[in-house]
Amino acid sequence: MQHDGPSGAGLDTDATGASPTDAQRIVAALDLETKVRLLSGADKWHTEGVPSAGIAAVLMTDGPHGLRRQATEGDHLGMAGSVPATCFPPAVTLAASWDPGLLAEVGAALGREAQTQGVSVILGPGLNLKRHPAGGRNFEYLSEDPLLAGRLAAALVRGIQSQGVGACLKHFASNHQETFRMVVDTLVDERTLREQELRAFEIAVTEGRPWTVMCAYNRLNGTYCSDHRWLLTEVLRDEWRFDGLVMTDWAAMHDRAAATVAGCDLEMPGSNGAFDAETLAAVHDGTLDEGEVDRCATRVVELLLRAAANRDTTASYDVDTHHALARRTAAAGTVLLTNDGTLPLQVDAAGDTAAAPLGSVALIGALATRPRFQGAGSSQVNPHRVDDLRSNLEERLSADTALRYAPGYDPDSGATTDHLVAQAVDAASDAEVAVVVVGLPASYESEGFDREHVALPAGHTRVVEAVLDTGTPTVVVLQNGAPVVLPWAPRAAAIVEGYLGGQAGGAALADVLVGDAEPGGRLAESFPVAVADLPSHANFAAHPKQVQHREGPLIGYRFHDRLGIPAAFPFGHGLSYTSFDTSEVAVTGDAPAITVAVTVTNTGPRTGSEVLQLYLRAPQGTLWRADKELVAHAKVTLDPGTSQRVELHLDRRSFAVYDVTQAAWVIEPGSYTLLLGRSSSDILHRHAVDVDTGDHLTPATIPDSVTATDEEFAQLLGRALPTPDPVRPFTRDTPVADLDATPLGARAQQLLLTAARRTIGREIPAAEASMHRMLEALLREAPLRSIVLLAGNKPSLKAVDAIVDLLNGRVRDQMEAGIGRVRQLLKLDDETR
């Protein structure tokens, strides 16, 4: 089936847009008001154009794993519908493939669909590191490791942009939690920031060359990311040579004048000129140089010209071809966590020595018929179609194999009943093998709020344990966007981590279960035994105004391996249906330019893939360091009995750490160990190498424990620990939730929420629990200024400032007069009383 776009001129694949000189010339001809207007979007999804120069606006849309182009003006939260598009597996599943080539294919498919829909910029990929498994948006991010995240993001960017469509890296930087994400201040020492979060973005920027970058909502070490000149100019542009446009996350603009100086070029979405008057006033009174406005406006025009030069109005794509790619990708990201030999299910009698097909299989779990295939929030895609496991398994099973289904639990809430459990037990008791499908409903993980725990719904766990109690060999299939704890894991015959498989995920799971496809994935994140073990846990979503990264570099496997606290399933882990041998390991070159070569042989009966992972153990004692860090990786696919020679290359940055005192990347002299393995904890080969480049490394504070004390953290930060913002006095940055600190504020809060729901909200189906939670979190946790921006300058920033002044200066006996004034400023009529 062919999906065609509008007819017209074709794509010039060599076009890179007009030169900066052309953009500067265009901007020079504009008056100040027009230039300032260019620094904000025209609506939810379009930039402004330059009609006087014949330059059209640019359309952008969400699209980390599929386009979410809304036919109407729409919203940024995924509440309104969107035109159909291919829903590829989200980032969590893509990352589990460990396959940059595959991600480039997916990116190219996304780019083709964007061209077909007239979209010039796709808002993705996201690559914030997974600091804590309860992060509500972890499904939209790639990994806990910066090297893997950065290289996979760069591949996606290259794929998207190969089609003449811009990518947008997000959320820059340190947006690791959803709780109060619009106001929270992330405190992290510079070395940790440089080597972890910024390292991922650096790789994606320098290797992928994205057209755009999106700044995050949060503050970073005291400064909002939209206003952060060190982040957006000194690091991103000056050090990494980024030459594209920086835009805000939706309603993340804090102070337009400060952001313009910082290098944030574009406020999105359009806010109906909310900041224009202040920006113009800043230019007129000399606090903002017009040259800074020109610089940002020029970057906007450069994007417009680049998009126009690459626009392909003849673009089309084949829906079936993209569905097949989505199916192949979902299987490649499926991770076989455990297997006692029950998988793959025996469904064919092929050959004289083959076992007979299974006589009966029980399929249990409502997610087998109503799959959870993508995350909730702004990334939600309206898929062309959705494959479910039950239908595809029924088609694939032998005519001699009976498949009996039981729902087990409610697919929306995850709750179960005695009757549903009894049905599941009955089905499993009569089967040779039981397949139980469980996971996380959308109400458990979504943009807008963090997970309250990392367990499965109690109803899911009850069903799994009841089926295990029957004694029937039980395969548990997971559909979730982030790690979960599995206390029953040792009792299962096999556990398949299907993650969120996209629109073809059900068919891909069937392929993996019966052996038509291999479980090609390896974990790109660690699954802890208990989140209480994690050093980041005590400082995750614990305070609305501040989060302290006292764990330093110790997230994910860097923590587990450094402290000797095993993960339930370690980073890089994943089993296969075949077996591999690695041999003839050779290390050549002069350190730090080293090549590790190894021969990989498929010694098993099936075609399969192996992921080689090279870790580096550095000298200890000078810096706070992990036990080992991933420095190279490669995925190879081999037929039975075949071999391939694989080379893994290291360079100076593979060994370097960031010396804050010298403001430079340096290599500590000493003995290093190269560790070649199948996961962070399954090491096959070790090789020592001495490195001395003549660099001198400045010693730094090493905490005595897994998390830094107040004194140690202050030393790492290089300054005294800041006190979190007080609730009062109220400001533009006050979250709506804080207004109830005073009686008058509480009344104003209810009026403001009424106005915001009326303007921002819309009728949401009662069943969409995640959307209700997300909207309420947004409205309560957003700062007052963001409510203005999301509502299109209604109320205006001036009105909010007046409300803030009123709330800060009134006393209780003047409450009614104050409420009347608030109502007037919000332009509320009697019906909202």
Side-chain angles (χ1 to χ4, degrees):
M1 178 168 55
Q2 194 77 11
H3 193 101
D4 296 320
S7 61
L11 170 69
D12 177 2
T13 55
D14 293 328
T16 58
S19 68
T21 302
D22 292 334
Q24 289 171 344
R25 173 180 53 79
I26 292 167
V27 169
L30 303 176
D31 59 40
L32 178 60
E33 289 75 11
T34 302
K35 290 186 290 190
V36 167
R37 192 161 58 248
L38 273 174
L39 307 189
S40 178
D43 56 30
K44 291 290 191 296
W45 302 111
H46 289 87
T47 66
E48 294 281 358
V50 187
S52 62
I55 304 173
V58 159
L59 171 64
M60 55 187 74
T61 188
D62 285 312
H65 64 278
L67 292 189
R68 192 177 69 86
R69 183 189 175 191
Q70 295 177 310
T72 59
E73 182 183 353
D75 64 90
H76 77 294
L77 295 173
M79 294 184 291
S82 58
V83 299
T86 306
C87 180
F88 290 96
V92 62
T93 317
L94 295 177
S97 73
W98 284 64
D99 190 342
L102 179 61
L103 268 69
E105 281 189 70
V106 172
L110 290 170
R112 284 192 293 275
E113 296 198 20
Q115 283 282 14
T116 303
Q117 296 291 346
V119 173
S120 294
V121 176
I122 293 175
L123 301 175
L127 68 156
N128 297 107
L129 296 189
K130 300 184 181 185
R131 177 175 177 253
H132 191 286
R137 211 170 178 180
N138 277 5
F139 58 82
E140 203 172 327
Y141 301 136
L142 291 161
S143 180
E144 66 189 33
D145 181 82
L147 179 75
L148 183 61
R151 290 196 171 159
L152 293 177
L156 267 172
V157 169
R158 289 193 298 269
I160 291 169
Q161 296 187 171
S162 72
Q163 303 302 303
V165 173
C168 181
L169 295 178
K170 62 184 187 183
H171 306 89
F172 193 56
S174 296
N175 184 177
H176 299 131
Q177 66 182 54
E178 294 299 286
T179 304
F180 285 94
R181 59 179 172 163
M182 289 184 164
V183 295
V184 72
D185 187 9
T186 301
L187 301 184
V188 54
D189 68 276
E190 185 177 359
R191 180 176 157 246
T192 296
L193 181 64
R194 292 270 195 174
E195 294 183 10
Q196 304 297 319
E197 179 90 354
L198 294 191
R199 179 61 176 144
F201 277 94
E202 179 186 8
I203 292 169
V205 166
T206 57
E207 296 184 8
R209 308 310 304 176
W211 289 12
T212 66
V213 167
M214 179 187 291
C215 75
Y217 286 115
N218 53 282
R219 288 175 285 177
L220 178 60
N221 290 326
T223 303
Y224 279 95
C225 288
S226 66
D227 303 352
H228 214 305
R229 182 172 175 81
W230 176 83
L231 183 69
L232 303 184
T233 294
E234 295 178 26
V235 173
L236 179 62
R237 298 188 189 279
D238 297 344
E239 294 184 23
W240 301 348
R241 300 302 177 190
F242 173 68
D243 60 0
L245 174 140
V246 174
M247 70 180 77
T248 65
D249 202 341
W250 264 228
M253 180 61 74
H254 174 250
D255 178 329
R256 171 85 74 72
T260 301
V261 174
C264 184
D265 307 305
L266 178 64
E267 172 200 352
M268 288 299 293
S271 60
N272 199 23
F275 279 109
D276 285 4
E278 293 183 2
T279 307
L280 289 168
V283 174
H284 292 317
D285 68 19
T287 56
L288 174 62
D289 191 282
E290 188 171 352
E292 300 284 3
V293 175
D294 291 348
R295 187 175 295 110
C296 291
T298 297
R299 293 181 188 132
V300 174
V301 173
E302 286 173 358
L303 177 64
L304 303 184
L305 294 173
R306 194 174 202 175
N310 285 278
R311 183 75 184 100
D312 180 11
T313 55
T314 66
S316 65
Y317 67 96
D318 186 80
V319 173
D320 294 333
T321 299
H322 282 196
H323 186 78
L325 174 60
R327 182 171 181 169
R328 175 162 56 92
T329 303
T334 297
V335 184
L336 184 60
L337 295 179
T338 67
N339 188 22
D340 66 1
T342 298
L343 291 181
L345 299 177
Q346 186 66 42
V347 297
D348 296 310
D352 295 336
T353 59
L358 291 167
S360 60
V361 175
L363 180 62
I364 299 164
L367 292 179
T369 59
R370 284 183 50 190
R372 174 98 194 288
F373 60 93
Q374 63 176 325
S378 63
S379 66
Q380 282 190 318
V381 177
N382 177 17
H384 287 296
R385 59 181 182 267
V386 178
D387 294 341
D388 68 85
L389 174 58
R390 181 183 180 184
S391 299
N392 281 272
L393 200 55
E394 285 176 336
E395 290 179 5
R396 186 60 184 83
L397 290 177
S398 164
D400 298 325
T401 303
L403 181 68
R404 184 175 175 186
Y405 169 74
Y409 50 80
D410 179 86
D412 295 315
S413 68
T416 192
T417 64
D418 292 344
H419 176 66
L420 290 172
V421 173
Q423 283 184 324
V425 168
D426 186 48
S429 297
D430 292 338
E432 293 179 48
V433 174
V435 177
V436 184
V437 186
V438 293
L440 297 178
S443 59
Y444 274 62
E445 56 177 353
S446 169
E447 178 181 357
F449 55 87
D450 294 307
R451 293 161 66 193
E452 297 173 1
H453 55 75
V454 295
L456 291 169
H460 288 216
T461 298
R462 182 183 172 192
V463 170
V464 170
E465 292 180 338
V467 172
L468 289 169
D469 287 343
T470 67
T472 299
T474 300
V475 176
V476 180
V477 177
L478 302 172
Q479 293 182 7
N480 49 293
V484 288
V485 292
L486 308 171
W488 41 259
R491 301 173 59 197
I495 303 174
V496 177
E497 176 54 272
Y499 280 124
L500 305 177
Q503 68 177 49
L509 281 173
D511 293 340
V512 168
L513 290 176
V514 304
D516 290 345
E518 67 153 342
R522 306 294 186 270
L523 294 179
E525 59 193 348
S526 305
F527 277 47
V529 174
V531 292
D533 293 337
L534 304 179
S536 62
H537 186 61
N539 289 288
F540 175 76
H543 192 287
K545 302 293 180 64
Q546 189 182 90
V547 55
Q548 301 177 359
H549 286 216
R550 292 183 181 233
E551 73 280 0
L554 303 183
I555 66 170
Y557 73 89
R558 287 169 166 78
F559 155 70
H560 290 291
D561 296 346
R562 182 74 177 86
L563 272 294
I565 298 176
F569 300 103
F571 175 82
H573 171 71
L575 305 179
S576 175
Y577 289 157
T578 189
S579 57
F580 295 91
D581 178 67
T582 56
S583 60
E584 301 175 344
V585 179
V587 179
T588 58
D590 296 325
I594 288 176
T595 296
V596 178
V598 59
T599 298
V600 185
T601 303
N602 183 342
T603 58
R606 292 172 173 266
T607 297
S609 59
E610 176 74 309
V611 176
L612 296 172
Q613 303 164 39
L614 184 63
Y615 297 86
L616 182 68
R617 178 175 290 146
Q620 301 289 322
T622 306
L623 295 176
W624 194 14
R625 306 184 79 150
D627 173 69
K628 57 175 123 13
E629 295 185 321
L630 183 73
V631 289
H633 59 89
K635 188 172 189 177
V636 294
T637 300
L638 297 171
D639 292 329
T642 63
S643 300
Q644 182 175 331
R645 191 72 173 165
V646 179
E647 291 187 349
L648 301 168
H649 302 283
L650 306 186
D651 58 17
R652 178 178 173 84
R653 282 298 293 273
S654 304
F655 292 84
V657 294
Y658 191 78
D659 189 313
V660 176
T661 301
Q662 300 183 58
W665 291 92
V666 301
I667 297 177
E668 181 176 7
S671 179
Y672 292 75
T673 305
L674 301 171
L675 306 164
L676 183 66
R678 293 194 175 105
S679 76
S680 65
S681 63
D682 183 9
I683 302 302
L684 306 174
H685 303 279
R686 293 171 170 81
H687 184 90
V689 57
D690 292 328
V691 182
D692 189 352
T693 62
D695 291 351
H696 169 72
L697 179 64
T698 308
T701 298
I702 301 177
D704 291 333
S705 182
V706 68
T707 56
T709 63
D710 287 356
E711 181 180 359
E712 292 166 341
F713 193 47
Q715 291 171 351
L716 290 166
L717 289 175
R719 64 187 189 281
L721 291 182
T723 301
D725 291 345
V727 171
R728 299 180 66 190
F730 300 129
T731 70
R732 280 186 185 182
D733 297 329
T734 295
V736 175
D738 281 359
L739 292 180
D740 62 7
T742 67
L744 180 57
R747 293 284 300 277
Q749 178 190 77
Q750 293 308 309
L751 293 173
L752 188 59
L753 287 172
T754 297
R757 290 188 184 107
R758 181 183 64 189
T759 307
I760 301 172
R762 59 186 68 244
E763 185 175 346
I764 304 173
E768 297 291 348
S770 64
M771 288 190 180
H772 283 283
R773 286 192 65 185
M774 180 175 60
L775 179 61
E776 286 305 306
L778 167 70
L779 295 181
R780 294 188 61 82
E781 296 179 5
L784 298 176
R785 61 177 161 79
S786 291
I787 296 294
V788 171
L789 305 183
L790 290 171
N793 206 18
K794 300 175 183 177
S796 67
L797 287 172
K798 185 176 180 180
V800 165
D801 289 342
I803 292 171
V804 167
D805 289 342
L806 184 68
L807 297 182
N808 284 330
R810 296 292 183 178
V811 294
R812 186 177 181 86
D813 59 4
Q814 295 174 299
M815 181 185 296
E816 288 305 319
I819 286 297
R821 180 59 177 149
V822 171
R823 292 178 61 82
Q824 182 182 20
L825 290 166
L826 292 176
K827 296 181 172 61
L828 293 173
D829 55 35
D830 290 339
E831 293 180 359
T832 64
R833 189 178 292 274

